[in-house]
Amino acid sequence: MASTVSGRYISSSEREDIALWRAQDSGVREIARRLGRSPSTISRELRRNASTRTYQLEYKASIAQWHAERRARRPKTAKMVTNDRLRQYVQDKLSGEIITAEGEVVGPEGPAWDGKNKPHRGDREWVTAWSPQQIAKRLPLEFPDDPTMRISHEAIYQALYVESRGGLARKQSWHLRRGRTKRMPRARTRQEAWAHVTAETVLQKRPKEVEDRKIAGHWEGDLIIGLKRSAVATLIERTTRYAILVHLPRQAGYGQIRPTKNGPALAGYGALTMKDALAKSITHLPEQLRRSLTWDRGKELSAHALLTKETGLPVYFADAKSPWQRGSNEHLNGLLRQYFPKGTDLSRWNATEIAAIATAMNNRPRGILGWRTPAEAFADQLRSVQQHTVATTS
């Protein structure tokens, strides 16, 4: 290993600093702070690469560098290639078959292996496969006296995803919780997921008047997703709990034009399609009832600037993984699952049918409204706006 390596790895010069500071009785966290590393990285380095020829573990830079270079030599033969017993154990735990008391394997066979990610939920096999981490942690408990029956969860993942690592059938990746047949590229994990959320559209910039729900015209919204990339957009007014359901039909060519990266969004809720559908649904409302819209962080609303320009409706995005910041909308979506169960194709319903469901929801009495209906409460707001407009113009 060269003395100058990628910043991902500890270099030879860093090991010299670690040895010097360790001799001066500096703590792990202090050394990590000086090097700009994680304390766990320093702790692991001191534990793995210390000298083992003395009574007490002693960290020396030269010996630590030798240990690191020895471990880094490639290629290495995968442990499961040479250890049949270990490979069979891992394979059995990954298969996760459901077996009756009589030893009979039960459940659907599932589709034929095609090398792609897991199929739709209705086509999957029944599996209770252990995760690679569960397998790796269980081995020392089941084989405490056999050091050959040890493997890390990372080695299991590599055996699944990298054919050259050998040992496991790639179809076993279907039995993992995510069912991915390929690892997510590291570059993709560094991508900015919320690039469409600007500093002006974060929830902290939303007017404070929204919180107490005393002023009508502030909305919350999100998508209900169904099978085959079908969706319905849901809007709810925070004060009256009045709901609007937005029909999102498939675009021309869906199912005929092969999907391409950065190609047209034909499923019905691409950014521009979503913008047009929302604008059409709310522009008939008075301006006083179009004060703000709080949305989930989904990229379907990445054209929010155009929506605001066309409708005058400012858009704000809730924080990531914070559904309680859109509590009314989450509650509405839960109620709508009575009509749109999970695992169904939502594109089967047309705009008229979806509007009928919205009418039914708005005519249910609500305890939060004193057992009035959202339709009645919203009608009161409309009359109030009209009276105010008439009084102002006269």
Side-chain angles (χ1 to χ4, degrees), residues 32-43:
R33 186 188 64 79
R34 293 180 184 179
L35 289 179
R37 296 277 187 177
S38 167
S40 61
T41 300
I42 304 303
S43 176

Side-chain angles (χ1 to χ4, degrees), residues 136 193 275:
K275 182 265 299 180

